[in-house]
Amino acid sequence: MEKYLITGGAGFIGANFVKYMLKSYSGIQLVVLDALTYAGNLATIEDDVDNERCIFVKGDICDRSLADRLFAEYGFNYVVNFAAESHVDRSIENPQSFLVTNILGAQNLLDAARSAWVTGSDENGYPTWKENVRFHQVSTDEVYGSLGETGYFTEKTPLDPRSPYSASKTSADLVVKAYRETYKMPVTITRCSNNYGPYHFPEKLIPLIIKNILEGKSLPVYGDGSNVRDWLYVEDHCKAIDKVIKNGRAGEVYNVGGHNERRNIQIVKAIIRTIRRIMTERPEYRKHLRKQVAGADGLPSVEWINDDLITFVKDRLGHDQRYAIDPAKITNELGWKPETDFETGIVKTIQWYLDNQLWVEQIVAGDYLNYYERMYAGRELK
């Protein structure tokens, strides 16, 4: 039986990976380690945790004694490190927490894996390793900085992080690569473009816009909305990680992109149009509207769901203009391609949020409300 340590597995991408792996393979066991901070929600994976195929452990990736105990108890073949402080705005507010978790946490996991997996040394003094083990670091395209109007990030693009978040992820990548060079550790790294899909925490653009429309609130868009991102449906990303862990070359970096470049303002307008269309075609979904305006048919109106909801706010500090990934390497070596175009994925995503409002209500309670007020209060551009 193959055994995985999935750190950050109660977060957005990590939880989707847990669900994908359990759906795809029978002979595996997953141990999910998550500190359940603002971006981790146990409710996301509680139906998956059966204490046999999927086991949950609440804990911090910086806790070495816990990491050592888990390796000793379960004998992991694979570590997939999703655990990270992950929102750029939060990193601007509190950079140090990002450096501690994202850099020192990754290094702690690497050392725990090294301690558990090294079997001896070769004639040159390098460690020898157990067979069929792999440490995989889940990174981001933000390590490359910002692009102009043309061109794409490749694995050879110089690292040029622009925010405390991306600097911490870049540093973690370099530590992972250093363990490869120094100890010949079997590691891989994936750098992905912006993910979207089910279970996305609503401080991020797409779920935030969906949530605000349902609540009849304004839709905050940074600057003039011209910033460009490459969007990747989260299950496509999970499939890419799986391929890299199993078949990727040790020591290599693989970029994972969706071929779905969109300006932020295009994303917001697409969500507006899609929600209005769905609620026009299926009036039963109008029950989710917190803003109830009577329409001519006696049902809540959807006429007010339009571009007038958009409010441009003061831009984020150091806001990168454009990200775009070239995934040719993973396509050529491993046969991975994104399967979900944006027009399909955004409808699937919105449909999921409409069908899972209880999950949204649970996750936005508490700290999120205070955070939202801090981020957007007083930032509207006149």
Side-chain angles (χ1 to χ4, degrees):
M1 175 181 286
E2 294 183 331
K3 298 184 178 183
Y4 292 72
L5 175 61
I6 312 294
T7 67
F12 167 45
I13 305 175
N16 276 280
F17 184 75
V18 167
K19 293 175 184 296
Y20 170 76
M21 294 297 287
L22 291 173
K23 178 179 67 176
S24 302
Y25 300 99
S26 57
I28 62 172
Q29 184 181 60
L30 310 182
V31 175
V32 177
L33 176 63
D34 198 297
L36 298 181
T37 60
Y38 63 90
N41 181 15
L42 187 55
T44 303
I45 58 169
E46 62 182 353
D47 291 340
D48 304 296
V49 176
D50 60 4
N51 294 318
E52 293 181 3
R53 294 185 69 220
C54 185
I55 297 160
F56 177 77
V57 178
K58 183 179 179 181
D60 192 330
I61 61 171
C62 293
D63 185 340
R64 178 58 188 271
S65 63
L66 173 60
D68 286 340
R69 179 173 65 79
L70 292 176
F71 272 92
E73 183 173 353
Y74 293 102
F76 301 120
N77 303 97
Y78 306 105
V79 176
V80 189
N81 184 29
F82 293 96
E85 297 279 354
S86 64
H87 195 276
V88 174
D89 287 341
R90 287 183 185 264
S91 80
I92 294 171
E93 275 198 315
N94 182 12
Q96 189 174 72
S97 66
F98 282 69
L99 305 185
V100 170
T101 298
N102 297 358
I103 305 172
L104 297 182
Q107 185 273 329
N108 185 61
L109 291 172
L110 286 160
D111 254 5
R114 182 164 67 100
S115 177
W117 290 345
V118 168
T119 59
S121 59
D122 64 17
E123 63 276 11
N124 296 313
Y126 286 109
T128 54
W129 297 83
K130 287 184 178 180
E131 294 184 356
N132 301 318
V133 293
R134 175 68 59 90
F135 185 101
H136 183 75
Q137 175 73 5
V138 181
S139 189
T140 170
D141 58 0
E142 295 189 40
V143 301
Y144 296 122
S146 185
L147 285 169
E149 293 185 2
T150 61
Y152 296 91
F153 296 136
T154 73
E155 290 81 1
K156 295 183 179 180
T157 299
L159 302 179
D160 187 23
R162 307 292 185 88
S163 69
Y165 163 65
S166 57
S168 69
K169 293 295 287 185
T170 304
S171 300
D173 285 7
L174 293 175
V175 173
V176 172
K177 288 176 71 67
Y179 271 60
R180 174 62 181 175
E181 294 301 320
T182 304
Y183 308 112
K184 305 305 179 186
M185 188 172 187
V187 304
T188 42
I189 298 170
T190 48
R191 293 173 180 154
C192 67
S193 54
N194 280 34
N195 280 217
Y196 70 105
Y199 303 105
H200 206 175
F201 192 67
E203 67 185 9
K204 303 289 183 145
L205 177 63
I206 289 176
L208 172 64
I209 296 303
I210 296 170
K211 177 179 177 293
N212 278 20
I213 290 174
L214 297 182
E215 295 181 354
K217 294 181 178 178
S218 63
L219 311 180
V221 177
Y222 281 132
D224 61 1
S226 66
N227 301 79
V228 176
R229 298 294 181 262
D230 175 23
W231 292 90
L232 175 66
Y233 193 66
V234 66
E235 188 172 63
D236 289 348
H237 185 197
C238 294
K239 293 177 181 179
I241 292 171
D242 182 29
K243 282 184 176 292
V244 171
I245 292 169
K246 296 293 180 58
N247 300 310
R249 290 181 290 137
E252 292 295 310
V253 174
Y254 293 89
N255 283 350
V256 186
H259 289 307
N260 282 311
E261 283 188 61
R262 298 289 189 283
R263 297 187 184 278
N264 287 348
I265 191 65
Q266 292 176 297
I267 298 294
V268 173
K269 290 183 177 181
I271 296 171
I272 293 169
R273 292 194 304 270
T274 303
I275 289 181
R276 180 165 170 165
R277 178 182 60 77
I278 289 174
M279 291 194 169
T280 299
E281 296 172 355
R282 300 187 61 182
E284 66 269 23
Y285 281 119
R286 299 186 198 183
K287 66 184 179 183
H288 296 310
L289 294 173
R290 314 297 192 271
K291 179 179 178 180
Q292 297 284 341
V293 179
D297 56 3
L299 297 171
S301 171
V302 295
E303 298 301 315
W304 56 270
I305 302 177
N306 57 52
D307 291 356
D308 292 340
L309 292 171
I310 296 171
T311 300
F312 293 100
V313 301
K314 186 177 179 181
D315 207 355
R316 168 193 290 162
L317 297 176
H319 197 178
D320 292 338
Q321 181 59 33
R322 176 174 171 261
Y323 303 149
I325 282 250
D326 178 2
K329 180 177 177 178
I330 191 173
T331 298
N332 294 336
E333 290 192 14
L334 304 178
W336 177 89
K337 292 182 179 179
E339 300 173 14
T340 310
D341 62 69
F342 185 78
E343 288 70 24
T344 301
I346 195 63
V347 173
K348 290 171 65 175
T349 300
I350 291 170
Q351 191 74 58
W352 185 89
Y353 276 92
L354 292 176
D355 290 335
N356 292 273
Q357 281 295 292
L358 179 60
W359 180 88
V360 176
E361 291 169 6
Q362 290 174 337
I363 203 169
V364 300
D367 177 63
Y368 170 79
L369 299 176
N370 297 327
Y371 168 79
Y372 182 87
E373 290 301 321
R374 290 199 309 274
M375 281 299 98
Y376 296 109
R379 298 186 72 168
E380 182 173 347
L381 295 181
K382 303 298 184 183

CSV table of all heavy atoms in Angstrom, one decimal, residues 23-60:
chain,number,residue,atom,x,y,z
A,23,LYS,N,-10.6,9.0,-5.0
A,23,LYS,CA,-11.5,8.6,-6.1
A,23,LYS,C,-10.7,7.8,-7.1
A,23,LYS,O,-11.3,6.9,-7.7
A,23,LYS,CB,-12.1,9.9,-6.7
A,23,LYS,CG,-13.0,9.6,-7.9
A,23,LYS,CD,-13.6,10.9,-8.4
A,23,LYS,CE,-12.5,11.8,-9.1
A,23,LYS,NZ,-13.0,13.0,-9.7
A,24,SER,N,-9.5,8.1,-7.3
A,24,SER,CA,-8.7,7.5,-8.4
A,24,SER,C,-8.0,6.2,-8.0
A,24,SER,O,-7.7,5.4,-8.9
A,24,SER,CB,-7.7,8.5,-8.9
A,24,SER,OG,-8.3,9.7,-9.3
A,25,TYR,N,-7.7,6.0,-6.7
A,25,TYR,CA,-6.9,4.8,-6.3
A,25,TYR,C,-7.5,4.1,-5.1
A,25,TYR,O,-8.0,4.8,-4.2
A,25,TYR,CB,-5.4,5.3,-6.0
A,25,TYR,CG,-4.7,5.9,-7.1
A,25,TYR,CD1,-4.6,7.3,-7.2
A,25,TYR,CD2,-4.1,5.2,-8.1
A,25,TYR,CE1,-3.9,8.0,-8.2
A,25,TYR,CE2,-3.4,5.8,-9.1
A,25,TYR,CZ,-3.3,7.2,-9.2
A,25,TYR,OH,-2.7,7.8,-10.2
A,26,SER,N,-7.4,2.8,-5.1
A,26,SER,CA,-7.9,2.0,-4.0
A,26,SER,C,-6.8,1.7,-3.0
A,26,SER,O,-7.0,1.7,-1.8
A,26,SER,CB,-8.6,0.8,-4.5
A,26,SER,OG,-7.8,0.0,-5.3
A,27,GLY,N,-5.6,1.3,-3.5
A,27,GLY,CA,-4.6,0.8,-2.7
A,27,GLY,C,-3.7,1.9,-2.1
A,27,GLY,O,-2.4,1.8,-2.2
A,28,ILE,N,-4.2,2.9,-1.5
A,28,ILE,CA,-3.4,4.0,-1.0
A,28,ILE,C,-4.0,4.4,0.4
A,28,ILE,O,-5.1,4.1,0.8
A,28,ILE,CB,-3.4,5.3,-1.8
A,28,ILE,CG1,-4.9,5.9,-2.0
A,28,ILE,CG2,-2.8,5.0,-3.2
A,28,ILE,CD1,-4.9,7.2,-2.6
A,29,GLN,N,-3.1,5.0,1.2
A,29,GLN,CA,-3.5,5.6,2.5
A,29,GLN,C,-3.0,7.0,2.6
A,29,GLN,O,-1.8,7.3,2.3
A,29,GLN,CB,-3.0,4.8,3.7
A,29,GLN,CG,-3.5,5.3,5.0
A,29,GLN,CD,-2.9,4.5,6.2
A,29,GLN,OE1,-1.7,4.4,6.3
A,29,GLN,NE2,-3.8,3.8,6.9
A,30,LEU,N,-3.9,7.9,2.9
A,30,LEU,CA,-3.5,9.3,3.0
A,30,LEU,C,-3.6,9.8,4.5
A,30,LEU,O,-4.6,9.5,5.1
A,30,LEU,CB,-4.5,10.2,2.2
A,30,LEU,CG,-4.7,9.8,0.7
A,30,LEU,CD1,-5.7,10.8,0.1
A,30,LEU,CD2,-3.5,9.7,0.0
A,31,VAL,N,-2.5,10.4,4.9
A,31,VAL,CA,-2.6,11.1,6.2
A,31,VAL,C,-2.5,12.6,6.0
A,31,VAL,O,-1.6,13.1,5.4
A,31,VAL,CB,-1.4,10.7,7.1
A,31,VAL,CG1,-1.4,11.5,8.4
A,31,VAL,CG2,-1.4,9.2,7.4
A,32,VAL,N,-3.6,13.3,6.4
A,32,VAL,CA,-3.7,14.7,6.1
A,32,VAL,C,-3.3,15.4,7.4
A,32,VAL,O,-3.9,15.3,8.4
A,32,VAL,CB,-5.2,15.1,5.8
A,32,VAL,CG1,-5.3,16.6,5.6
A,32,VAL,CG2,-5.6,14.3,4.5
A,33,LEU,N,-2.3,16.3,7.2
A,33,LEU,CA,-1.8,17.1,8.3
A,33,LEU,C,-2.1,18.6,8.0
A,33,LEU,O,-1.7,19.1,7.0
A,33,LEU,CB,-0.2,16.9,8.5
A,33,LEU,CG,0.5,17.8,9.5
A,33,LEU,CD1,0.0,17.5,10.9
A,33,LEU,CD2,2.0,17.6,9.4
A,34,ASP,N,-2.9,19.2,8.9
A,34,ASP,CA,-3.3,20.6,8.7
A,34,ASP,C,-3.5,21.3,10.0
A,34,ASP,O,-4.0,20.7,11.0
A,34,ASP,CB,-4.6,20.6,7.9
A,34,ASP,CG,-4.9,21.9,7.2
A,34,ASP,OD1,-5.0,22.9,8.0
A,34,ASP,OD2,-4.9,22.0,6.0
A,35,ALA,N,-3.0,22.5,10.1
A,35,ALA,CA,-3.1,23.3,11.3
A,35,ALA,C,-4.5,23.9,11.5
A,35,ALA,O,-4.8,24.5,12.5
A,35,ALA,CB,-2.0,24.4,11.4
A,36,LEU,N,-5.3,23.9,10.4
A,36,LEU,CA,-6.6,24.4,10.4
A,36,LEU,C,-6.6,25.9,10.8
A,36,LEU,O,-7.3,26.4,11.7
A,36,LEU,CB,-7.6,23.7,11.4
A,36,LEU,CG,-7.8,22.2,11.0
A,36,LEU,CD1,-8.7,21.6,12.0
A,36,LEU,CD2,-8.3,22.0,9.6
A,37,THR,N,-5.8,26.7,10.1
A,37,THR,CA,-5.8,28.1,10.2
A,37,THR,C,-6.9,28.7,9.3
A,37,THR,O,-7.8,27.9,9.0
A,37,THR,CB,-4.4,28.7,9.7
A,37,THR,OG1,-4.3,28.3,8.3
A,37,THR,CG2,-3.3,28.1,10.5
A,38,TYR,N,-6.9,29.9,9.0
A,38,TYR,CA,-8.0,30.6,8.3
A,38,TYR,C,-8.4,29.9,7.0
A,38,TYR,O,-9.5,29.9,6.5
A,38,TYR,CB,-7.7,32.0,8.0
A,38,TYR,CG,-6.5,32.3,7.1
A,38,TYR,CD1,-6.7,32.4,5.7
A,38,TYR,CD2,-5.3,32.4,7.6
A,38,TYR,CE1,-5.6,32.5,4.9
A,38,TYR,CE2,-4.2,32.6,6.8
A,38,TYR,CZ,-4.3,32.7,5.5
A,38,TYR,OH,-3.3,32.9,4.7
A,39,ALA,N,-7.4,29.3,6.3
A,39,ALA,CA,-7.6,28.7,5.0
A,39,ALA,C,-7.8,27.2,5.0
A,39,ALA,O,-8.0,26.6,4.0
A,39,ALA,CB,-6.4,29.0,4.1
A,40,GLY,N,-7.8,26.6,6.2
A,40,GLY,CA,-8.0,25.2,6.3
A,40,GLY,C,-9.4,24.9,7.0
A,40,GLY,O,-9.7,25.6,8.0
A,41,ASN,N,-10.2,24.0,6.5
A,41,ASN,CA,-11.5,23.8,7.0
A,41,ASN,C,-11.7,22.3,7.0
A,41,ASN,O,-11.9,21.7,6.0
A,41,ASN,CB,-12.6,24.5,6.1
A,41,ASN,CG,-14.0,24.3,6.7
A,41,ASN,OD1,-14.2,23.9,7.8
A,41,ASN,ND2,-14.9,24.6,5.8
A,42,LEU,N,-11.8,21.7,8.2
A,42,LEU,CA,-12.0,20.3,8.3
A,42,LEU,C,-13.3,19.8,7.7
A,42,LEU,O,-13.4,18.7,7.2
A,42,LEU,CB,-12.0,19.9,9.8
A,42,LEU,CG,-12.0,18.4,10.1
A,42,LEU,CD1,-10.8,17.7,9.4
A,42,LEU,CD2,-11.9,18.2,11.6
A,43,ALA,N,-14.3,20.7,7.7
A,43,ALA,CA,-15.6,20.3,7.1
A,43,ALA,C,-15.4,20.0,5.6
A,43,ALA,O,-16.2,19.2,5.0
A,43,ALA,CB,-16.6,21.4,7.2
A,44,THR,N,-14.4,20.5,4.9
A,44,THR,CA,-14.2,20.2,3.5
A,44,THR,C,-13.9,18.7,3.3
A,44,THR,O,-14.3,18.2,2.2
A,44,THR,CB,-13.0,21.1,3.0
A,44,THR,OG1,-13.3,22.5,3.2
A,44,THR,CG2,-12.8,20.9,1.5
A,45,ILE,N,-13.2,18.1,4.2
A,45,ILE,CA,-12.7,16.7,4.0
A,45,ILE,C,-13.3,15.7,5.0
A,45,ILE,O,-13.0,14.6,5.0
A,45,ILE,CB,-11.2,16.6,4.0
A,45,ILE,CG1,-10.6,17.1,5.3
A,45,ILE,CG2,-10.6,17.3,2.8
A,45,ILE,CD1,-9.2,16.7,5.5
A,46,GLU,N,-14.3,16.2,5.8
A,46,GLU,CA,-14.7,15.3,6.9
A,46,GLU,C,-15.4,14.1,6.4
A,46,GLU,O,-15.3,13.0,7.0
A,46,GLU,CB,-15.7,16.1,7.9
A,46,GLU,CG,-16.9,16.6,7.2
A,46,GLU,CD,-17.8,17.4,8.2
A,46,GLU,OE1,-17.4,17.4,9.4
A,46,GLU,OE2,-18.8,18.0,7.8
A,47,ASP,N,-16.0,14.1,5.2
A,47,ASP,CA,-16.7,13.0,4.6
A,47,ASP,C,-15.6,12.0,4.1
A,47,ASP,O,-15.9,10.8,3.8
A,47,ASP,CB,-17.6,13.4,3.5
A,47,ASP,CG,-18.9,14.1,4.1
A,47,ASP,OD1,-19.1,13.9,5.3
A,47,ASP,OD2,-19.5,14.8,3.3
A,48,ASP,N,-14.4,12.5,3.9
A,48,ASP,CA,-13.3,11.6,3.3
A,48,ASP,C,-12.5,10.9,4.4
A,48,ASP,O,-11.9,9.9,4.1
A,48,ASP,CB,-12.4,12.5,2.4
A,48,ASP,CG,-13.1,13.2,1.3
A,48,ASP,OD1,-13.7,12.5,0.5
A,48,ASP,OD2,-13.1,14.4,1.4
A,49,VAL,N,-12.5,11.5,5.6
A,49,VAL,CA,-11.7,10.9,6.7
A,49,VAL,C,-12.5,9.8,7.3
A,49,VAL,O,-13.5,9.9,8.0
A,49,VAL,CB,-11.5,12.0,7.8
A,49,VAL,CG1,-10.7,11.4,9.0
A,49,VAL,CG2,-10.7,13.2,7.2
A,50,ASP,N,-11.9,8.6,7.1
A,50,ASP,CA,-12.5,7.3,7.6
A,50,ASP,C,-11.6,6.6,8.6
A,50,ASP,O,-11.9,5.5,9.1
A,50,ASP,CB,-12.9,6.4,6.5
A,50,ASP,CG,-11.7,6.0,5.6
A,50,ASP,OD1,-10.6,6.3,6.0
A,50,ASP,OD2,-11.9,5.3,4.6
A,51,ASN,N,-10.4,7.2,8.8
A,51,ASN,CA,-9.4,6.7,9.8
A,51,ASN,C,-8.8,5.3,9.3
A,51,ASN,O,-8.2,4.6,10.0
A,51,ASN,CB,-10.0,6.5,11.2
A,51,ASN,CG,-10.3,7.9,11.8
A,51,ASN,OD1,-9.5,8.8,11.7
A,51,ASN,ND2,-11.4,8.0,12.5
A,52,GLU,N,-9.1,5.0,8.0
A,52,GLU,CA,-8.4,3.9,7.4
A,52,GLU,C,-7.7,4.3,6.1
A,52,GLU,O,-6.5,4.4,6.1
A,52,GLU,CB,-9.5,2.8,7.1
A,52,GLU,CG,-10.1,2.2,8.3
A,52,GLU,CD,-11.2,1.1,8.0
A,52,GLU,OE1,-11.4,0.8,6.8
A,52,GLU,OE2,-11.8,0.6,8.9
A,53,ARG,N,-8.4,4.6,5.1
A,53,ARG,CA,-7.8,5.1,3.9
A,53,ARG,C,-7.4,6.6,4.0
A,53,ARG,O,-6.4,7.0,3.4
A,53,ARG,CB,-8.7,5.0,2.7
A,53,ARG,CG,-9.1,3.6,2.3
A,53,ARG,CD,-9.9,3.6,1.0
A,53,ARG,NE,-9.2,4.0,-0.1
A,53,ARG,CZ,-9.6,4.8,-1.1
A,53,ARG,NH1,-10.9,5.2,-1.0
A,53,ARG,NH2,-8.9,5.1,-2.1
A,54,CYS,N,-8.1,7.3,4.8
A,54,CYS,CA,-7.8,8.8,5.0
A,54,CYS,C,-7.8,9.1,6.5
A,54,CYS,O,-8.9,8.9,7.2
A,54,CYS,CB,-8.8,9.6,4.2
A,54,CYS,SG,-8.4,11.4,4.3
A,55,ILE,N,-6.7,9.6,7.0
A,55,ILE,CA,-6.6,9.9,8.5
A,55,ILE,C,-6.3,11.4,8.6
A,55,ILE,O,-5.4,11.9,7.8
A,55,ILE,CB,-5.4,9.0,9.1
A,55,ILE,CG1,-5.8,7.5,9.0
A,55,ILE,CG2,-5.2,9.4,10.5
A,55,ILE,CD1,-4.6,6.6,9.1
A,56,PHE,N,-6.9,12.0,9.5
A,56,PHE,CA,-6.6,13.5,9.7
A,56,PHE,C,-5.8,13.7,11.0
A,56,PHE,O,-6.2,13.1,12.1
A,56,PHE,CB,-7.9,14.3,9.8
A,56,PHE,CG,-7.6,15.7,10.1
A,56,PHE,CD1,-7.2,16.6,9.1
A,56,PHE,CD2,-7.8,16.2,11.4
A,56,PHE,CE1,-6.9,17.9,9.4
A,56,PHE,CE2,-7.5,17.6,11.7
A,56,PHE,CZ,-7.1,18.4,10.7
A,57,VAL,N,-4.8,14.5,10.9
A,57,VAL,CA,-4.0,14.9,12.1
A,57,VAL,C,-4.0,16.4,12.1
A,57,VAL,O,-3.5,17.0,11.2
A,57,VAL,CB,-2.6,14.3,12.1
A,57,VAL,CG1,-1.8,14.8,13.3
A,57,VAL,CG2,-2.6,12.8,12.0
A,58,LYS,N,-4.4,17.0,13.2
A,58,LYS,CA,-4.3,18.5,13.3
A,58,LYS,C,-2.9,18.8,13.9
A,58,LYS,O,-2.5,18.3,14.9
A,58,LYS,CB,-5.3,19.1,14.3
A,58,LYS,CG,-5.2,20.6,14.4
A,58,LYS,CD,-6.3,21.2,15.3
A,58,LYS,CE,-6.1,22.7,15.4
A,58,LYS,NZ,-7.2,23.3,16.3
A,59,GLY,N,-2.1,19.6,13.1
A,59,GLY,CA,-0.8,19.9,13.6
A,59,GLY,C,-0.1,20.9,12.6
A,59,GLY,O,-0.5,21.1,11.5
A,60,ASP,N,1.1,21.4,13.1
A,60,ASP,CA,1.9,22.4,12.4
A,60,ASP,C,3.0,21.7,11.7
A,60,ASP,O,3.7,20.9,12.3
A,60,ASP,CB,2.4,23.4,13.4
A,60,ASP,CG,2.9,24.6,12.8
A,60,ASP,OD1,3.5,24.6,11.6
A,60,ASP,OD2,2.9,25.7,13.4
